[in-house]
């Protein structure tokens, strides 16, 4: 029996999809929200480090699973199949809330400069660097909406590089930990401008949810008290309470169906019993991530769109980017560990732009609490990785170490891409994503610069031994994946317009990290959510004008 037609289908219940579903449902549209994963809870994995989303030795805690999912990646001259629990897969969580269910929850606004990199830095050979079709001022009201509707804590006091805002965040930051106090004093001595990391985390009771209890288990874990603000415990419940949104979990989208006029008519998907279903709708929104959204568009090719939807000019799947993570570690004479989570608390924006000889830069932050298993991978060059010496290092330095990291802004490149593999299929018989490419060489140069700044901060704080961690040159993505369905004004060099509307299909939208022209020198989730609010507002406004009704 055919499913009743709805106004909108949203594919993906993560950072962007949850926002869009809530905005459309509360605007009066009937919405079906498809999610391949399921509702998760703290009790599913509690505080088990070996089954957290950050430690995948026993699989990805919050999905996808290794049994049904795989990808193909380029390694040297070979194409190799990889599983979600392997780093080359470029995984993001697959559950209600997506990555926001278990993330660290840093809540950065991009800087005004991040929206006009091409204007600032010019033509960079080997890069597709471009300006966004929107400015920081266009997005500022939506940043504010995220901060107040979903909930952000923080303060810009002491940070002269903070982008302009019209309203303060609704919650104060958490106090600095012992690490934070040490780095704050050292940063001031160096002439830096340290300030608290903004977080999508309740520091006081807010929106009916309690404050953070400062446990050591944060990034990679579900929050035991619901103080971490994701879409699963904020906007998605509002969407469901509206009576206009139906959430269907365990549903894997197979393709977007289009008619002879080139308009989207709905989505074919597999339900939890692996039965093929078709959901008809007036409009479709793809919010499945910067790797799964282009895969779905490429798997939806038809007679009218033989190269895939929105791919008339071969830009779908191009410009895959994440962050060139790097930093430094330091060992100290005295114990710094005070067991106050989440650990990450202090930052510096002194090096996001204006670094002579470099394109952009990145934020500097201290690390989240390094749990024991993860710490076994943190060793200086030449240190033993096994045996008594390895164990002794763990005993001696676990509570006397510190890390400062940077999320270096990457240069987009046309060759870093997501395709669909012509041979390998997943559990449902759908062509899997195939990932290839490399970082731009300038990213490593900027990463080297940022590691030196991190090391300098640690040494000023009293580190007696330091070592650096440089980014590699392999293709990037992971939880910060972005860029594969670029927004732009010119259909010849972009996939969607400034609202996420696919250039040649007016009732098909992409609303997730895929549309970001570049990824900033920050964790991107606040920008993904802000863009989602802006796109959803546009869709609802156009809907009221009956533009999308067939």
């Amino acid at each position: 029996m055919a499913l009743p037609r709805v106004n909108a289908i949203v594919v993906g219940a993560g950072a962007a999809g949850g926002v869009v579903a809530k905005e459309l449902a509360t605007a009066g549209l009937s919405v079906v929200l498809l999610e391949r994963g399921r509702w998760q809870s703290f009790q599913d994995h509690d505080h088990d480090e070996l089954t957290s989303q950050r430690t995948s030795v026993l699989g990805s805690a919050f999905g996808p699973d290794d049994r049904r999912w795989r990808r193909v990646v380029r390694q040297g001259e070979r194409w190799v199949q990889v599983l979600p629990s392997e780093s080359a897969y470029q995984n993001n969580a697959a559950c209600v809330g997506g990555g926001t269910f278990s993330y660290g929850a840093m809540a950065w606004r991009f800087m005004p400069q991040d929206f006009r990199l091409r204007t600032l830095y010019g033509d960079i050979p080997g890069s597709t660097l471009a300006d966004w079709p929107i400015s920081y001022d266009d997005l500022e009201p939506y940043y504010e909406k995220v901060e107040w509707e979903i909930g952000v804590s923080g303060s810009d006091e002491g940070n002269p590089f903070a982008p302009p805002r019209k309203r303060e965040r609704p919650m104060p930051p958490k106090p600095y930990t012992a690490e934070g106090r040490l780095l704050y004093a050292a940063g001031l001595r160096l002439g830096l401008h340290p300030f608290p990391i903004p977080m999508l985390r309740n520091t006081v009771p807010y929106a009916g949810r309690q404050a953070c209890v400062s446990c050591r288990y944060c990034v990679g874990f579900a929050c035991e008290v619901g103080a971490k603000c994701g879409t699963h415990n904020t906007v998605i419940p509002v969407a469901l309470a509206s009576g206009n949104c139906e959430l269907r979990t365990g549903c894997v989208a197979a393709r977007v169906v289009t008619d002879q006029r080139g308009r989207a008519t709905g989505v074919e998907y597999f339900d939890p019993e692996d039965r093929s279903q078709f959901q008809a709708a007036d409009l479709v929104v793809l919010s499945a991530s910067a790797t799964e959204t282009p895969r779905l568009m490429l798997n939806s090719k038809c007679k009218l769109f033989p190269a895939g939807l929105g791919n008339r000019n071969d830009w779908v799947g191009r410009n895959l980017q994440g962050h060139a993570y790097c930093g430094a570690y330091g060992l100290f004479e005295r114990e710094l560990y005070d067991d106050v989570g989440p650990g990450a608390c202090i930052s510096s924006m002194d090096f996001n732009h204006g670094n002579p000889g470099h394109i952009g830069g990145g934020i500097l932050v201290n690390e989240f609490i390094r749990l024991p298993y993860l710490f076994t991978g943190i060793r200086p060059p030449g240190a033993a990785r096994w045996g008594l010496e390895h164990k002794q290092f763990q005993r001696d330095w676990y509570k006397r170490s510190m890390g400062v990291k940077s999320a270096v802004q990457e240069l987009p490149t046309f060759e870093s891409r997501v395709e669909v593999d012509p041979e390998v299929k997943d559990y449902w018989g759908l062509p899997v994503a195939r990932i290839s490419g490399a970082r731009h060489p300038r990213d490593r140069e900027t990463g080297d610069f940022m590691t030196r700044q991190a090391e300098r901060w640690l040494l000023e704080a009293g580190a007696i031994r330091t070592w650096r961690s440089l980014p590699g040159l392999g293709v990037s993505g992971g939880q910060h994946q972005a860029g594969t369905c670029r927004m732009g004004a010119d259909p010849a060099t972009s996939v969607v317009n400034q609202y996420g509307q696919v250039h040649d299909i007016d009732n098909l939208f992409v609303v997730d990290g895929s549309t970001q022209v570049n990824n900033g020198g920050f964790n991107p989730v606040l920008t993904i959510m802000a863009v989602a609010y802006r796109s959803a507002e546009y869709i609802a406004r156009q809907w009221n004008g009956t533009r999308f009704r067939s």
Side-chain angles (χ1 to χ4, degrees):
M1 186 171 66
L3 297 169
R5 183 183 185 86
V6 296
N7 299 142
I9 302 174
V10 181
V11 180
V19 168
V20 173
K22 177 262 177 181
E23 288 293 284
L24 298 188
T26 55
L29 280 74
S30 57
V31 177
V32 165
L33 178 56
L34 292 181
E35 169 54 47
R36 59 178 170 158
R38 62 179 176 88
W39 283 104
Q40 296 268 0
S41 69
F42 168 73
Q43 286 74 20
D44 288 326
H45 296 281
D46 55 54
H47 288 154
D48 183 355
E49 186 190 357
L50 295 185
T51 59
S52 80
Q53 193 69 11
R54 209 180 193 196
T55 306
S56 57
V57 288
L58 298 179
S60 300
F62 305 119
D65 61 78
D66 283 356
R67 183 175 68 87
R68 298 177 298 173
W69 297 84
R70 62 200 66 248
R71 285 178 179 163
V72 173
V73 301
R74 185 82 171 181
Q75 291 185 352
E77 298 302 314
R78 300 184 304 137
W79 292 103
V80 179
Q81 290 189 43
V82 294
L83 302 174
S85 60
E86 298 177 82
S87 61
Y89 186 91
Q90 310 293 347
N91 191 26
N92 207 343
C95 62
V96 178
T100 72
F101 184 75
S102 58
Y103 62 178
M106 291 191 191
W108 300 103
R109 293 183 176 203
F110 282 7
M111 299 171 74
Q113 299 94 312
D114 294 320
F115 296 87
R116 48 187 182 88
L117 290 186
R118 179 63 177 260
T119 298
L120 276 177
Y121 296 105
D123 181 27
I124 307 298
S127 173
T128 51
L129 195 67
D131 290 346
W132 292 47
I134 59 175
S135 68
Y136 174 82
D137 290 341
D138 292 323
L139 206 54
E140 199 281 335
Y142 304 95
Y143 276 130
E144 179 182 303
K145 193 167 185 177
V146 180
E147 291 171 346
W148 282 83
E149 280 206 0
I150 297 182
V152 172
S153 54
S155 169
D156 290 334
E157 185 176 350
N159 176 22
F161 308 104
R165 63 170 56 245
K166 295 177 181 173
R167 191 181 187 191
E168 292 301 316
R169 302 173 181 89
M171 292 176 279
K174 288 173 73 71
Y176 289 139
T177 63
E179 278 190 20
R181 293 191 294 273
L182 198 62
L183 285 171
Y184 180 77
L188 292 181
R189 290 196 297 273
L190 290 173
L192 303 181
H193 302 83
F195 65 100
I197 299 172
M199 295 277 194
L200 282 144
R201 174 178 289 104
N202 284 8
T203 53
V204 296
Y206 186 76
R209 291 176 291 107
Q210 72 177 78
C212 173
V213 295
S214 302
C215 79
R216 69 180 73 103
Y217 308 94
C218 188
V219 61
F221 295 87
C223 180
E224 62 192 285
V225 298
K228 218 162 31 174
C229 310
T231 54
H232 63 287
N233 61 354
T234 57
V235 286
I236 291 175
V238 173
L240 300 179
S242 74
N244 291 329
C245 179
E246 179 189 354
L247 171 62
R248 297 178 190 163
T249 59
C251 293
V252 176
R255 72 183 185 105
V256 178
V257 180
T258 51
D259 62 17
Q260 293 180 340
R261 296 178 298 162
R263 304 189 83 240
T265 59
V267 174
E268 285 183 358
Y269 68 96
F270 291 96
D271 70 14
E273 284 73 46
D274 299 325
R275 297 172 301 197
S276 179
Q277 304 280 5
F278 174 69
Q279 176 61 62
D282 295 310
L283 64 96
V284 175
V285 180
L286 304 182
S287 302
S289 81
T291 44
E292 289 300 320
T293 287
R295 177 194 177 205
L296 183 54
M297 295 175 76
L298 296 172
N299 274 339
S300 301
K301 61 185 178 183
C302 59
K303 187 175 181 179
L304 201 58
F305 302 107
L309 305 185
N311 199 32
R312 201 178 299 279
N313 295 299
D314 192 25
W315 277 75
V316 171
R318 299 285 189 175
N319 305 302
L320 175 63
Q321 58 199 286
H323 281 113
Y325 264 100
C326 59
Y329 292 99
L331 304 179
F332 292 76
E333 288 186 339
R334 67 181 177 88
E335 285 193 4
L336 306 171
Y337 185 81
D338 57 7
D339 202 24
V340 177
C345 61
I346 191 168
S347 56
S348 163
M349 289 173 59
D350 289 80
F351 305 106
N352 278 81
H353 291 284
N355 304 307
H358 296 287
I359 310 299
I363 192 75
L364 285 176
V365 296
N366 74 317
E367 256 281 43
F368 289 88
I369 285 181
R370 300 159 295 284
L371 293 170
Y373 180 80
L374 272 181
F375 189 69
T376 62
I378 298 174
R379 293 291 186 271
R385 298 281 172 170
W386 192 254
L388 287 176
E389 186 180 340
H390 176 72
K391 293 177 181 176
Q392 193 60 46
F393 186 97
Q394 190 88 356
R395 293 189 185 95
D396 290 344
W397 299 109
Y398 180 70
K399 294 185 176 180
R400 294 191 287 150
S401 62
M402 192 192 307
V404 172
K405 307 300 286 288
S406 179
V408 169
Q409 173 142 243
E410 293 184 348
L411 290 169
T413 70
F414 201 61
E415 301 308 321
S416 288
R417 66 185 304 193
V418 177
E419 304 170 88
V420 291
D421 194 87
E423 298 178 355
V424 181
K425 307 287 196 302
D426 65 12
Y427 172 83
W428 298 272
L430 305 170
V432 305
R434 188 170 77 171
I435 295 174
S436 59
R439 285 196 178 101
H440 194 285
R442 297 289 298 267
D443 295 341
R444 188 173 171 89
E445 295 174 14
T446 306
D448 179 65
F449 169 77
M450 292 305 300
T451 61
R452 293 175 188 276
Q453 307 315 313
E455 184 176 46
R456 181 168 162 253
W457 200 359
L458 288 167
L459 287 169
E460 181 63 30
I464 56 175
R465 183 180 182 185
T466 59
W467 68 97
R468 302 172 191 162
S469 173
L470 281 168
L473 288 173
V475 66
S476 184
Q479 295 183 351
H480 292 186
Q481 56 191 256
T484 50
C485 297
R486 171 179 285 190
M487 69 166 73
D490 184 356
T493 56
S494 59
V495 178
V496 301
N497 68 14
Q498 63 172 292
Y499 299 107
Q501 190 172 26
V502 175
H503 285 306
D504 48 5
I505 306 176
D506 71 348
N507 67 337
L508 176 62
F509 289 80
V510 176
V511 186
D512 59 22
S514 305
T515 67
Q516 295 190 174
V517 180
N518 50 274
N519 216 13
F522 308 93
N523 305 50
V525 70
L526 201 77
T527 298
I528 292 172
M529 290 174 167
V531 170
Y533 271 112
R534 186 172 185 271
S535 295
E537 181 185 87
Y538 172 81
I539 295 170
R541 190 167 63 240
Q542 295 298 314
W543 175 263
N544 289 332
T546 71
R547 180 173 173 180
F548 301 118
R549 291 173 181 160
S550 300

